Amino acid sequence: MTTLPPDVAEAGAATGHVLLVDDEVAFQRLGGNFLRNLGHTVTLAGDGDQALAAFAKHQPELVLLDLAMPPHMDPEIGLELIPRFARVPVVVLTGHGDHTLALRATELGAWDFLTKPIDPDMLRFVVARGLRKARLDAELSALRAEQAVDDLGMVGQAPATVQLRALVRRVAQTTVSVLVLGPTGTGKELVARALHACSARHAGPFVAIHCGALSAELLESELFGHMKGSFTGAYRDQPGLVEAAHGGTLFLDEVGEMPPPMQVKLLRFLQEGAFVPVGGRVQKHADTRVVAATHRDLETMVRDGTFRQDLFYRLKGVVLRTPAIAERPADIPLLATRFLHRAAPRAGLSAGALAWLMARDWPGNVRELKAVVESAGALLLPDQREVDAELLRLASGDMGEATPSPRTEASAQGESAGPLDAALLELELRLVRDTMTAVGGNQSEAARRLGISRVGLIKKLTRLGLR
């Protein structure tokens, strides 16, 4: 009897839905009964067409596929089926000595293979392991999808970030206008896009315009469009952004910079949903939700007479505030890691780099952090896999003499760890734990993904209490 791995008993406990594809009726009957006796649900198919139809209808968790398919018992037919079952593990069944076929099947996406005549215990083991893999893959896929929806692009777990995400989800379901306030570089447009993505208008267009970048005349033409001949260079009718955003969302960035003449026309559109293109006489309508944003203090501008009070109250149906980095320092490691992976997917941040990021003031907020980290990632040499504090200083233009971080000094003097140490340790623990989970405990693969040696990984696991 074939010698099985020590965890075969544990693997045998996993049951699920198996699609068995084989042209031999006797093997279908024997294999199907064997698997049903183990508690699996089994669907049988005798050729490729039956297999694809059964796969689409029953959505099995695992496919057992004999490569020799009718009508000519050609293994090429079975090989062509493998990519069609891409979302579940495929175990191919081959004749004795068909290792070349098994290798080709693996290259096409097969998860494992069994050689006929098949040992019952090995079949039980491989099927159970395959089902466990299918469920782990499904859980990881669901987790990624949940995370992608949960953060709405707004990375972080600081209380201010979590609260903002919750408010975005709640406000997105309404039809009220939204005013997003916050310092420059804090992601006000990101909030506007999240509001659009979570709303009933998500299938419609998202249109953005910077209100301070154009004169009143050009801004009016951009927003409401113009008619042919309405001014020099107007050679044809041109629809505006308000019309382009019909059925969707119009984002007015830096609305506090809008020239006073345009404030009146915007107010009319917000009140009536109607506008007249430049040079036109016929009134048009657009069903557009308006989200406005600014870093300016609009209430002070209203008191000073530089911003219309009635427009201010029309815009501020709901006010959302984007926090500065100083209000969410715990998010810096997560943000920096996300930005680095965009520039260098396999790179990481050293402990010194994280300490430098945490200790630095960020007057430009997330926008500045993003620019520095992505620049550092782009400066990595081909054989480098880690961004250190020196590289970040180079990317930021701060080439002054490096000063020891509080974390370094505390470690050197044997002092107790402070909040920064705790934050870095929590980040490292979460990263290593999540990576080990994603690779099913495979230390070699985890070490490769983390960019460290296997020995280094084992040391980390021991130090973090994860072994």
Side-chain angles (χ1 to χ4, degrees), residues 145-231:
E146 181 181 348
Q147 289 174 338
V149 173
D150 276 352
D151 66 19
L152 303 176
M154 294 180 279
V155 180
Q157 294 300 324
T161 309
V162 173
Q163 182 183 36
L164 179 60
R165 278 200 298 263
L167 288 172
V168 165
R169 287 196 185 89
R170 183 174 181 179
V171 173
Q173 305 305 315
T174 70
T175 59
V176 298
S177 57
V178 180
L179 179 61
V180 186
L181 302 177
T184 299
T186 52
K188 293 186 287 295
E189 182 171 345
L190 188 65
V191 170
R193 290 184 179 277
L195 284 166
H196 175 73
C198 293
S199 73
R201 297 173 174 266
H202 66 274
F206 177 89
V207 180
I209 184 171
H210 193 293
C211 297
L214 302 170
S215 65
E217 294 77 14
L218 288 177
L219 182 58
E220 181 181 5
S221 176
E222 282 293 306
L223 280 177
F224 302 126
H226 61 259
M227 306 302 292
K228 178 180 177 180
S230 57
F231 54 84

Side-chain angles (χ1 to χ4, degrees), residues 340 343-344 371-384 386-387 390-397 399:
L340 177 61
V372 170
V373 173
E374 289 185 349
S375 296
L379 291 172
L380 281 169
L381 297 175
D383 59 340
Q384 284 184 292
E386 189 173 71
V387 170
E390 193 63 31
L391 196 56
L392 288 172
R393 275 191 287 270
L394 176 62
S396 69
M399 295 308 296

Side-chain angles (χ1 to χ4, degrees), residues 296-329:
R296 303 282 296 272
D297 185 345
L298 292 186
E299 292 185 348
T300 298
M301 294 179 67
V302 168
R303 289 194 297 269
D304 294 342
T306 56
F307 197 85
R308 292 184 63 94
Q309 185 179 53
D310 46 5
L311 177 59
F312 171 63
Y313 287 120
R314 176 64 66 172
L315 289 173
K316 62 168 292 189
V318 173
V319 175
L320 299 178
R321 300 184 183 276
T322 53
I325 276 193
E327 301 174 58
R328 47 184 295 207

Side-chain angles (χ1 to χ4, degrees), residues 26-157:
F27 184 80
Q28 284 189 16
R29 184 175 64 254
L30 291 173
N33 289 338
F34 177 77
L35 293 171
R36 290 188 188 98
N37 289 336
L38 294 175
H40 302 297
T41 300
V42 182
T43 298
L44 302 176
D47 58 36
D49 291 339
Q50 292 180 15
L52 292 175
F55 185 78
K57 179 179 180 180
H58 300 289
Q59 299 184 347
E61 299 169 90
L62 178 79
V63 176
L64 291 171
L65 175 65
D66 186 5
L67 291 181
M69 286 282 105
H72 306 297
M73 310 311 295
D74 185 357
E76 293 296 328
I77 298 177
L79 290 171
E80 290 174 0
L81 290 173
I82 294 174
R84 308 287 291 274
F85 306 134
R87 65 175 179 80
V88 301
V90 177
V91 179
V92 299
L93 311 177
T94 68
H96 180 69
D98 288 341
H99 294 292
T100 301
L101 279 177
L103 180 59
R104 288 185 59 196
T106 303
E107 292 173 347
L108 289 169
W111 175 69
D112 204 345
F113 68 93
L114 292 171
T115 303
K116 290 184 175 181
I118 295 174
D119 179 274
D121 283 338
M122 184 57 72
L123 176 62
R124 174 169 63 92
F125 172 71
V126 170
V127 168
R129 288 292 297 271
L131 290 170
R132 288 172 60 193
K133 178 184 185 302
R135 286 166 190 176
L136 177 61
D137 289 345
E139 290 172 2
L140 290 174
S141 178
L143 180 60
R144 292 190 190 101
E146 181 181 348
Q147 289 174 338
V149 173
D150 276 352
D151 66 19
L152 303 176
M154 294 180 279
V155 180
Q157 294 300 324

